[in-house]
Amino acid sequence: MRFLQRPFFWFCGISVTLIIVLIVALLQVEQQRENMFSAELEHLQRSNTHYLQQIKSQVQQKALTLAELVSANSMIRNRVIESAHIYISAQSEPEKSNQLEAVRQAALPELLLQWDALQADFVKQLHIHLAPDAFTLLRAHKPERHSDQLAAVRPLVMSVLEQGKAFSGLEIGRHGLGVRAVVPVKNNNQKTVGAIEVGLGIKELIAQQQLSLLHQNETNTGVFALFSQEAVTVMFDKQPFNNNSAWVFEKSAEVSRLDWLKPDLLPNNINSPQALRVEQDNQHFLITLVPWHSYKQNTNESAQVVFAVWQDISDLVEQQRRQSIFIWSVWILFALLSSILIAFFARRLQSSTVQTLKAQQHQLRWSEQRLNALFSLSPLPILLNKLADGTFIESNKAMEQLVGYTEDEIKALSYWDLTPERYAEDEQRQLELLNTTGRYGPYRKQYIHKNGHLIDIELNGVLFENPAGEKMIWTIIQDLTQRNQIDKMKDEFISTVSHELRTPLTSISGSLSLILSGATGELNDKSKKMLTIAQRNSQRLNSLVNDLLDIEKLSAGKAHFMPEEADLKIVINEAVEQIKPFANTYQITIKVSYIDAAVVFVDVLRIHQVLTNLLSNAIKFSNTGSQIDVKAEIVGENVCISITDSGVGITEKEINSLFQRFKQLDNSTTKQQGGTGLGLAICREIVHQSGGNIGVESELGKGSRFWFELPLLADSKKVITSEKVLIIEDDADIASTLRAMLEHEGFLTDWAPDSAHAWQLLTQNTYRLITLDLRLQQEHGSDFFFRLRHNLETQNLPVLVISAYLEEGKLQLSAIANAIDWLEKPIEQDKLVEKLSNLLDNTQWQNDARILHVEDDSDIVEIVKIHLQQKCRYYHAKTLNQAQVMLSQYQFDLVLLDIGLPDGSGWELLADLKKLNYDIPVVVFSAQDCSVHQRNKVSASFAKSRVEPKELVERIKNLLN
Amino acid sequence: MALKKIMHVEDDECIRIIAEMALTEVAGFEVLSCDGGHAALEQVEAFAPDLILLDVMMPKMDGLQTLLELRKIPSIATTPVVFMTAKIQQSEKQQYLDAGAIGVIDKPFEPMQLGDNLRSLYLNAQKS
């Protein structure tokens, strides 16, 4: 999904999302605007409906009020009652007619007065009807027309006469459409005897409303009525003008703007209030329709009449349109701007990506050019080949020169074509190294030159994968031919120089030695003194030659180191012993104050050389009678050996160059002591090549502390750690001190105040050692010791007797004193450590190990026996034959072998051991030096004249372990 | 058999004189000094030494070559040989021991102890 990491992708994504959100928002705004517009129209419609309904009820109420006003006139009322009486009680028709005429004439003036008063209210009819059959007594608007019976054609009037209740409503008849109010006239007996009817002209009403609207400056609105075809038929007693049309308009004269309104735009039935939006010639109208129930004059049935209000809403619609246009314009503008911005940023992004890409390509080309130049111009041959089959892929000029092939010829070859067969095994090892660590070398081998000769080379290489996943090896080659030649020349030079220097030195020192020894006759004191000086200086010159050759070898890394596992304590003690005579001449004591148990893997002779060098320096620079302190402490993964003197000290300036060649302290003491100035440089080389470090701390006039660190052999620290010691001591304070001391040395401890507790603990735990106080409370320490030694489990358990009464204990215990040592109270930490490590050292022997010593020299047998018999089971064979017999009959763990035996060579025994399938260590201990070949056949070899018995014993111990 | 007669082969005259003095007057041996391998080969049978002290670096015929030639003479085939060398490298010493020498003495040597050293080497060789 690499495109997800590209900013361009994210940019486009965000842009698209933004546009979608904008569109949704826009639609939402539009919808809201529409809704608001609809709500506005609805509101308008509701208020129009309300307006129309108000007119309707006002008009009806007005008609009723007017009718009641007329009926309330007592004169008119009395004339109605009178005429009603005449009408129903007259004896004859002519009499009736006359009497009625008389009443009519009497009532007319009053009625006309009323009529005139009502004209202002658009009253079109004023009737007086008589019960029971709606006999028309008088029509104020047409006084000449009367005496018609309307029972059949005026159901409205009949219902009022019959029910005695007033009525007001819309009636439709031949006279047109009008609001009629009929009010009953009752006699004194509350019997309806007649009715007053008032009719209002609807056309005028509409005109009046329109007028009032005009007065209110409402020019964009108007009122009109609609009649159904049926109503028109009734009204005009004729067929409608247009059969297709359901409606006929009653429009006021003022309203000419509704000309466009064709009846077919309206619904056929209008039974409830409703609104209509009509668009005509870019004008928008809202028409609110409210139906008004009307009665047909003669049938009392309903015909549809609708009152309507129209409104020109063009402005409103226009406003909406403008708003919409505005919103869309803003959005389109915004969208355009966004698009431009997006395009702009996208372009910038793209161009910056392109620029980055170009820069990267440029860098890449530059880097490739550099590497290519490096590759082709390198004076070192460089090769690229496949791991799978060794085929060469690429090589440089230097490689062609090295092997004599052209580039094309090399590419046709594989690794194996250039490698002599005998390297097959080594190659395999390097391949394994390459596969596990990803690199190989430095690997010295030979290549076969085109002309057949062999070239000494050194290879270093790394493994990597090409883009196709194929494993490749880059190899850099060094031609060692020249270096080997130089090395050889150097070796020859050193060899020659050493010979040429030593030969005259041999003569000089030899002569001096002979003369001084008196071999050539007695010398006088002066001569003797002078010759002694000459001898000392010839010895100094010899040391200088030795040191020079030594440092030369060491610096060139050509000094031969033979590292082995060594107990540092032994190495230090031997060096100290060796230097002691020299120290004694200055009455200087060397105190080995503290040595941690440590095993190192070093060339013992070389470390010995470092120690004696540092010790002799310390002696040289110490004051007569002073003390030199030697310590070895474990610091982390190293052991630090330090030699501290209280001599002249070194200045800070001198310290910095102290380990350089030919640097000697520039003071009189040095000159007196002499020296080659190479000692410390040699020490540094040796320590460095042993994997360690060397340094010095000093204060002028107070002394110096030279130290060097050596890496500890893994696990050597554990020699005396994590082992348990049982402290048997009745004094709690002493026990506590002892505990602290032992725990400081890395031991775990248990404490038993008396022998009973001790036995209990011994049965439960395994201890490495016991410290025993002799004077215990209940049982004497010596008795407890006897019990220990008679118990199978504890008979060899090392015991350190710690007591204030050692002599007494020694007397009691000497008889069975194996694995025992003594320490006097008060306890000193240093001594405790020394005793502990001695005890543990001796008891690290496998006591039941069997050693066969083959040796004819009884003196040597005696010495070795003394050293070994307490530590293991020592057996001795005097001849080869005896050894062969013993080996065939008994099992041994190690053979210590002399070579020159009375009945043959010790080497023959090796063949016998092989025959007997013995796979045990063999240590040669002989007067003869072994050849390398011989030494490889055995575990170790020592020359009798050159080895201390201690060293031999230590080696045997190591081999057995 | 005790060590009595020593043949010393050394090209450097000074060293020859000192060694002869050390071996005769100090140690009491009978010594025949030769100035090179050829002289040694000529005189060795007549002198019949108990031990031959052989310098390593000599012109014309070096110590190792001289040893090889000496070993070809039947009466000298087992005569112990000690090399004396100014080269102090351990690997070289080993080379001489491997060639059959019973010991190697470094130059410069201590003339007062030369005789004792040779005696001790000789005794060891005898035992073996």
Side-chain angles (χ1 to χ4, degrees):
Chain A
M1 299 300 244
R2 283 176 63 182
F3 67 91
L4 282 177
Q5 292 162 6
R6 297 174 63 169
F8 186 73
F9 168 80
W10 287 107
F11 195 78
C12 290
I14 290 166
S15 307
V16 168
T17 315
L18 187 70
I19 288 171
I20 290 171
V21 168
L22 277 173
I23 289 175
V24 170
L26 174 80
L27 291 176
Q28 198 71 30
V29 168
E30 267 293 87
Q31 183 66 45
Q32 214 158 358
R33 195 186 54 75
E34 283 285 339
N35 288 346
M36 277 171 71
F37 183 55
S38 302
E40 204 171 336
L41 289 183
E42 210 172 304
H43 175 72
L44 212 54
Q45 180 207 342
R46 264 204 306 275
S47 92
N48 286 344
T49 306
H50 180 68
Y51 170 68
L52 287 172
Q53 278 171 343
Q54 213 175 4
I55 292 174
K56 183 179 151 190
S57 70
Q58 273 177 6
V59 168
Q60 282 184 346
Q61 189 58 46
K62 186 179 179 181
L64 200 61
T65 309
L66 293 173
E68 275 173 353
L69 258 174
V70 175
S71 73
N73 187 304
S74 58
M75 206 199 96
I76 292 172
R77 191 168 161 265
N78 288 337
R79 294 298 172 220
V80 174
I81 296 169
E82 190 185 341
S83 59
H85 182 73
I86 297 167
Y87 182 64
I88 54 169
S89 58
Q91 297 296 313
S92 65
E93 273 304 313
E95 186 187 352
K96 189 196 283 184
S97 180
N98 289 336
Q99 285 180 356
L100 284 177
E101 183 58 30
V103 178
R104 190 175 295 129
Q105 287 307 320
L108 186 61
E110 186 60 34
L111 196 66
L112 283 174
L113 272 177
Q114 293 286 331
W115 168 251
D116 286 342
L118 293 175
Q119 284 313 294
D121 292 308
F122 307 109
V123 173
K124 293 287 176 190
Q125 282 97 20
L126 180 61
H127 290 201
I128 297 174
H129 299 285
L130 296 179
D133 52 1
F135 173 81
T136 309
L137 178 70
L138 195 63
R139 287 186 174 90
H141 58 289
K142 271 182 183 171
E144 67 281 1
R145 269 191 70 202
H146 54 77
S147 302
D148 41 348
Q149 288 171 341
L150 299 178
V153 292
R154 298 297 305 276
L156 250 179
V157 177
M158 281 310 291
S159 84
V160 173
L161 289 173
E162 282 163 10
Q163 290 173 14
K165 279 183 184 169
F167 169 83
S168 179
L170 193 64
E171 194 186 54
I172 195 163
R174 270 173 303 154
H175 48 77
L177 183 69
V179 175
R180 299 295 175 97
V182 184
V183 177
V185 178
K186 294 181 180 174
N187 61 11
N188 294 336
N189 296 328
Q190 292 299 316
K191 186 182 173 200
T192 306
V193 289
I196 305 293
E197 182 184 0
V198 169
L200 301 181
I202 202 80
K203 211 173 181 177
E204 290 76 11
L205 279 170
I206 288 170
Q208 189 196 10
Q209 287 302 325
Q210 185 65 49
L211 217 57
S212 87
L213 286 173
L214 282 171
H215 283 304
Q216 293 167 27
N217 284 332
E218 295 277 354
T219 51
N220 284 334
T221 182
V223 186
F224 65 94
L226 290 170
F227 308 101
S228 64
Q229 290 292 355
E230 187 188 7
V232 171
T233 310
V234 174
M235 275 195 298
F236 305 106
D237 199 15
K238 61 178 180 187
Q239 287 302 309
F241 315 110
N242 186 348
N243 280 334
N244 293 335
S245 173
W247 299 96
V248 175
F249 295 95
E250 174 59 46
K251 289 182 282 185
S252 65
E254 290 83 358
V255 183
S256 55
R257 294 176 63 178
L258 281 188
D259 292 345
W260 50 266
L261 186 61
K262 301 289 179 278
D264 53 1
L265 288 171
L266 303 168
N268 284 343
N269 286 305
I270 302 170
N271 297 320
S272 57
Q274 51 192 274
L276 203 65
R277 265 184 75 182
V278 183
E279 191 191 346
Q280 184 70 27
D281 302 333
N282 289 332
Q283 275 192 303
H284 294 264
F285 297 92
L286 177 72
I287 298 168
T288 311
L289 303 161
V290 175
W292 198 346
H293 183 80
S294 71
Y295 299 92
K296 286 187 207 167
Q297 215 165 37
N298 47 1
T299 61
N300 206 16
E301 285 171 4
S302 179
Q304 263 198 315
V305 175
V306 174
F307 277 72
V309 171
W310 65 266
Q311 252 170 326
D312 186 347
I313 55 166
S314 301
D315 288 350
L316 213 57
V317 171
E318 181 62 18
Q319 196 186 342
Q320 286 301 314
R321 202 177 61 84
R322 278 188 200 147
Q323 275 184 7
S324 181
I325 287 171
F326 175 74
I327 291 169
W328 275 98
S329 305
V330 168
W331 189 86
I332 287 169
L333 203 67
F334 191 80
L336 264 170
L337 270 172
S338 307
S339 308
I340 291 167
L341 274 174
I342 288 168
F344 175 71
F345 281 117
R347 201 171 158 68
R348 275 198 64 174
L349 202 68
Q350 200 177 4
S351 78
S352 87
T353 313
V354 167
Q355 271 178 359
T356 315
L357 213 66
K358 271 185 185 167
Q360 281 173 348
Q361 277 172 349
H362 182 73
Q363 283 284 332
L364 211 65
R365 260 201 304 279
W366 166 230
S367 158
E368 200 182 322
Q369 278 169 0
R370 276 181 302 173
L371 289 177
N372 223 348
L374 195 69
F375 175 70
S376 53
L377 297 177
S378 164
L380 293 176
I382 302 174
L383 258 184
L384 177 68
N385 66 307
K386 287 185 187 173
L387 174 72
D389 55 4
T391 321
F392 294 131
I393 309 289
E394 248 182 293
S395 64
N396 63 354
K397 208 80 201 152
M399 180 67 194
E400 293 168 33
Q401 285 162 1
L402 178 75
V403 290
Y405 290 101
T406 65
E407 193 187 347
D408 290 338
E409 284 172 334
I410 291 174
K411 281 182 183 171
L413 296 171
S414 99
Y415 192 77
W416 302 105
D417 295 322
L418 294 181
T419 303
E421 263 185 34
R422 64 197 162 89
Y423 284 100
E425 222 172 278
D426 291 346
E427 291 290 333
Q428 210 50 47
R429 262 199 299 280
Q430 296 298 329
L431 269 178
E432 278 168 26
L433 196 67
L434 193 65
N435 277 322
T436 49
T437 66
R439 54 178 307 133
Y440 77 100
Y443 166 41
R444 288 192 179 193
K445 60 177 277 190
Q446 288 174 315
Y447 266 171
I448 307 166
H449 191 272
K450 190 179 180 182
N451 63 21
H453 75 260
L454 295 173
I455 319 153
D456 289 330
I457 47 164
E458 187 179 273
L459 308 180
N460 276 288
V462 287
L463 186 69
F464 73 103
E465 267 184 24
N466 70 3
E470 209 174 351
K471 285 188 173 171
M472 300 278 177
I473 311 167
W474 267 125
T475 302
I476 294 182
I477 302 158
Q478 258 183 302
D479 185 354
L480 298 181
T481 316
Q482 211 174 5
R483 197 206 283 180
N484 287 349
Q485 274 171 356
I486 291 169
D487 282 353
K488 204 175 158 197
M489 280 162 69
K490 201 171 168 184
D491 279 355
E492 278 170 6
F493 175 75
I494 291 170
S495 185
T496 310
V497 166
S498 70
H499 179 257
E500 294 310 321
L501 284 173
R502 279 191 182 124
T503 303
L505 261 176
T506 308
S507 300
I508 296 166
S509 67
S511 311
L512 291 170
S513 185
L514 283 170
I515 297 166
L516 279 167
S517 69
T520 54
E522 279 302 306
L523 290 171
N524 64 40
D525 283 353
K526 275 187 180 172
S527 307
K528 211 169 188 174
K529 196 177 171 188
M530 290 302 119
L531 286 169
T532 307
I533 292 170
Q535 191 192 30
R536 200 163 60 225
N537 278 284
S538 76
Q539 280 166 357
R540 198 171 149 197
L541 201 56
N542 188 41
S543 305
L544 183 63
V545 172
N546 287 345
D547 282 359
L548 254 179
L549 293 169
D550 220 11
I551 191 78
E552 200 53 49
K553 286 263 165 194
L554 283 164
S555 320
K558 284 182 161 288
H560 191 56
F561 275 70
M562 288 175 66
E564 56 181 311
E565 259 183 64
D567 185 338
L568 192 66
K569 200 170 85 181
I570 294 173
V571 182
I572 292 174
N573 285 336
E574 276 176 5
V576 170
E577 287 305 316
Q578 188 184 321
I579 207 88
K580 259 182 184 166
F582 180 52
N584 290 340
T585 53
Y586 297 97
Q587 289 95 50
I588 289 171
T589 46
I590 301 176
K591 190 192 170 203
V592 182
S593 62
Y594 189 88
I595 298 186
D596 270 340
V599 178
V600 286
F601 191 68
V602 292
D603 185 322
V604 174
L605 284 176
R606 291 288 186 182
I607 296 303
H608 184 91
Q609 191 180 347
V610 173
L611 281 164
T612 50
N613 201 309
L614 294 179
L615 283 167
S616 72
N617 275 352
I619 295 164
K620 281 181 202 168
F621 293 103
S622 287
N623 302 320
T624 306
S626 64
Q627 182 178 296
I628 291 167
D629 203 27
V630 181
K631 268 186 193 175
E633 288 165 294
I634 288 172
V635 183
E637 300 300 310
N638 298 315
V639 58
C640 180
I641 302 108
S642 62
I643 291 152
T644 311
D645 64 59
S646 52
V648 292
I650 312 158
T651 64
E652 206 171 317
K653 199 175 153 196
E654 286 171 325
I655 283 181
N656 295 328
S657 55
L658 202 60
F659 291 96
Q660 289 172 14
R661 293 181 198 189
F662 300 111
K663 285 286 171 185
Q664 286 185 312
L665 296 184
D666 187 19
N667 62 34
S668 52
T669 320
T670 315
K671 290 191 178 85
Q672 278 173 18
Q673 303 300 343
T676 62
L678 285 169
L680 287 175
I682 291 172
C683 286
R684 187 180 67 171
E685 285 299 332
I686 292 172
V687 171
H688 282 183
Q689 288 186 35
S690 304
N693 232 326
I694 190 164
V696 62
E697 292 138 21
S698 182
E699 205 177 322
L700 202 62
K702 290 197 174 173
S704 311
R705 175 180 172 263
F706 280 82
W707 57 264
F708 64 99
E709 280 185 343
L710 293 172
L712 282 170
L713 192 68
D715 295 342
S716 68
K717 274 201 291 179
K718 295 178 190 163
V719 173
I720 57 165
T721 54
S722 303
E723 289 175 323
K724 243 179 174 179
V725 172
L726 176 61
I727 299 166
I728 308 173
E729 168 67 61
D730 60 344
D731 185 322
D733 290 339
I734 296 173
S736 166
T737 312
L738 202 50
R739 260 191 128 145
M741 285 175 164
L742 286 166
E743 279 166 13
H744 179 257
E745 296 305 316
F747 288 102
L748 301 171
T749 54
D750 276 340
W751 172 49
D754 54 52
S755 59
H757 275 96
W759 269 120
Q760 200 182 345
L761 285 167
L762 278 165
T763 51
Q764 289 162 359
N765 301 294
T766 309
Y767 293 97
R768 184 72 185 85
L769 190 136
I770 291 177
T771 73
L772 179 64
D773 182 20
L774 283 182
R775 295 205 167 174
L776 294 172
Q777 294 286 335
Q778 285 152 2
E779 185 183 14
H780 195 274
S782 56
D783 295 334
F784 178 76
F785 185 80
F786 283 119
R787 273 168 65 196
L788 273 179
R789 287 296 176 252
H790 284 105
N791 184 306
L792 206 63
E793 293 282 311
T794 57
Q795 62 183 354
N796 290 316
L797 185 60
V799 174
L800 179 64
V801 178
I802 301 178
S803 175
Y805 312 96
L806 277 189
E807 294 312 314
E808 175 194 337
K810 279 183 182 171
L811 279 175
Q812 288 167 338
L813 300 178
S814 55
I816 49 159
N818 73 318
I820 189 166
D821 210 336
W822 314 88
L823 182 66
E824 196 151 26
K825 284 181 183 174
I827 307 159
E828 287 171 35
Q829 176 92 13
D830 290 358
K831 281 188 179 163
L832 174 70
V833 170
E834 193 189 328
K835 297 279 180 191
L836 280 177
S837 59
N838 278 342
L839 251 181
L840 292 176
D841 222 24
N842 288 335
T843 51
Q844 266 169 12
W845 281 82
Q846 294 175 356
N847 289 327
D848 52 352
R850 291 159 176 261
I851 293 179
L852 177 61
H853 186 194
V854 189
E855 175 62 73
D856 58 335
D857 187 325
S858 53
D859 291 343
I860 291 182
V861 168
E862 207 49 48
I863 292 167
V864 174
K865 193 175 173 183
I866 288 168
H867 281 92
L868 285 178
Q869 70 179 359
Q870 282 196 331
K871 298 177 166 74
C872 60
R873 299 191 184 174
Y874 177 88
Y875 297 88
H876 167 235
K878 208 170 180 177
T879 62
L880 191 63
N881 185 33
Q882 200 181 345
Q884 283 162 342
V885 172
M886 285 175 84
L887 278 169
S888 63
Q889 288 177 356
Y890 305 104
Q891 191 73 35
F892 291 97
D893 297 305
L894 187 141
V895 175
L896 184 60
L897 187 62
D898 185 21
I899 297 300
L901 294 167
D903 53 347
S905 164
W907 295 116
E908 290 173 37
L909 203 66
L910 292 185
D912 295 318
L913 283 169
K914 207 167 184 182
K915 253 186 247 167
L916 292 166
N917 272 335
Y918 253 113
D919 185 20
I920 53 169
V922 174
V923 178
V924 170
F925 186 48
S926 160
Q928 290 171 327
D929 276 307
C930 294
S931 68
V932 176
H933 176 68
Q934 286 169 330
R935 196 181 296 160
N936 287 340
K937 289 181 179 173
V938 294
S939 307
S941 72
F942 295 96
K944 282 173 185 168
S945 54
R946 295 180 207 161
V947 69
E948 289 283 316
K950 247 175 147 182
E951 194 184 334
L952 176 74
V953 167
E954 189 64 21
R955 190 59 189 267
I956 289 172
K957 184 185 91 181
N958 285 341
L959 283 170
L960 283 173
N961 285 337
Chain B
M1 199 168 68
L3 177 60
K4 284 177 188 158
K5 289 162 83 180
I6 295 176
M7 178 183 241
H8 181 210
V9 189
E10 166 68 63
D11 60 319
D12 188 285
E13 197 189 352
C14 300
I15 297 176
R16 274 207 309 274
I17 293 167
I18 291 161
E20 195 171 327
M21 193 171 181
L23 293 175
T24 52
E25 295 188 27
V26 179
F29 294 123
E30 184 186 340
V31 176
L32 175 66
S33 294
C34 306
D35 62 359
H38 292 291
L41 288 169
E42 279 168 21
Q43 299 174 53
V44 71
E45 276 184 292
F47 185 62
D50 300 323
L51 184 145
I52 304 168
L53 181 59
L54 206 47
D55 183 31
V56 176
M57 278 186 96
M58 295 184 291
K60 293 177 192 164
M61 186 186 276
D62 72 10
L64 278 171
Q65 267 179 306
T66 309
L67 176 62
L68 284 176
E69 293 303 318
L70 285 170
R71 290 285 182 246
K72 287 178 186 165
I73 301 166
S75 61
I76 312 299
T78 55
T79 307
V81 170
V82 172
F83 276 108
M84 190 182 265
T85 177
K87 295 182 180 182
I88 55 159
Q89 283 155 45
Q90 192 63 38
S91 55
E92 288 171 29
K93 276 191 192 175
Q94 193 59 50
Q95 192 188 342
Y96 309 140
L97 294 174
D98 291 348
I102 60 165
V104 181
I105 286 171
D106 293 335
K107 281 180 184 174
F109 57 89
E110 177 48 64
M112 300 308 290
Q113 286 168 15
L114 181 64
D116 284 348
N117 286 344
L118 288 180
R119 198 176 277 120
S120 148
L121 285 170
Y122 181 77
L123 280 174
N124 275 335
Q126 288 274 300
K127 273 188 185 169
S128 310

